[in-house]
Amino acid sequence: MSGTCALPGDAEGRGDGGVGDRDDDAPLPAALVAVHPTRLGATRAAEEEFVAEEVPVALEYNGLSHAVMLATPLDLEDFALGFSLTEGLLASPADLLDVEVRTRPNGVALQLRVTARCEALLKERRRSMAGRTGCGLCGTDNLDQVFRPPQRPVPPLPAALAADEALVAALSRAMRELAAAQPLQQRTGGIHAAAWCGIDGAVRWVREDVGRHNALDKLIGAMARDGVDASQGFAAVTSRASFEMVQKAALAGMPMLAAVSAPTHLAIRTAQACGLRLAGFVRDGRATLYA
């Protein structure tokens, strides 16, 4: 998740997600926007540069509004599927029957058509959230809902990565290739990325977003859509490793999450409980294993 979350307060059944009237024929907002800031220093000059766009993205399930996230308007179908899986709203990709991306004057609506079982679960969650004014963890309103252990054991790290030397080499290659596979970040300097890497550390899939959680959700959605076996590799992210990112990686069946920055203590404890390998400070040929 992006770290900014709003839950709709409209009545059950309304599907506009709080982002205005329909404007389905309008194109999606651009992911990059040109601006002309004034640079201060030796020379005062105005030059064109690109900044990342973030837009409200409403997730609607069978016409029911669930949450509004701030995200980069790219790979939104992947985001819809990945978010739904990692938030426990879908049991499998097969529960998502269809998704349509609709533009609105104030954002984008992702209209998901899901199975009747999933719709019943969503309605129950809406009833439990009635009367709330805000959220810290989207879609949760009590502590019991925060920790969602994987339904299946997290697979072990592939044997080819058992030796420290092989693991460091794979992690180093992953971060090196990830840095070169971020076109939005290279243009703006303000975008996170998540990659799925093979056993040798080669980057196979990449998704970018202004939110580190969104980037990981997009990656997981893309892999689920194409039936990628997440156990035969690991995830690499250009951020710190939070509890939610560890939980999302574990729920997706990834054996390891590698972060360029630090983990939180809750992330470490969650990784240990799930059996997920967690690496932090992966940079310059070094890594620190926390779980």
Side-chain angles (χ1 to χ4, degrees), residues 3-4 15 23 64 82 117 135 142 146 162 179 197 211 213 221 231 236 239 252 281:
T4 301
D23 193 14
L64 303 176
R117 183 189 67 83
C135 71
N142 63 67
V146 173
C197 310
H213 303 89
S231 69
S239 66
F281 296 110

Side-chain angles (χ1 to χ4, degrees), residues 103-179:
T103 57
R104 300 288 189 267
N106 297 328
V108 177
L110 302 182
Q111 297 179 336
L112 291 80
R113 188 164 60 89
V114 300
T115 60
R117 183 189 67 83
C118 294
E119 180 179 348
L121 173 62
L122 283 160
K123 287 182 176 180
E124 181 60 33
R125 289 197 179 188
R126 286 179 64 88
R127 281 192 290 270
S128 72
M129 291 188 292
R132 294 177 57 198
T133 59
C135 71
L137 290 166
C138 293
T140 61
D141 67 345
N142 63 67
L143 293 177
D144 291 338
Q145 294 177 348
V146 173
F147 300 97
R148 299 187 307 276
Q151 295 181 345
R152 296 177 297 276
V154 173
L157 199 64
L161 296 176
D164 290 349
E165 296 81 2
L167 183 57
V168 169
L171 291 172
S172 299
R173 178 178 180 181
M175 287 302 178
R176 183 172 63 252
E177 293 191 4
L178 179 54

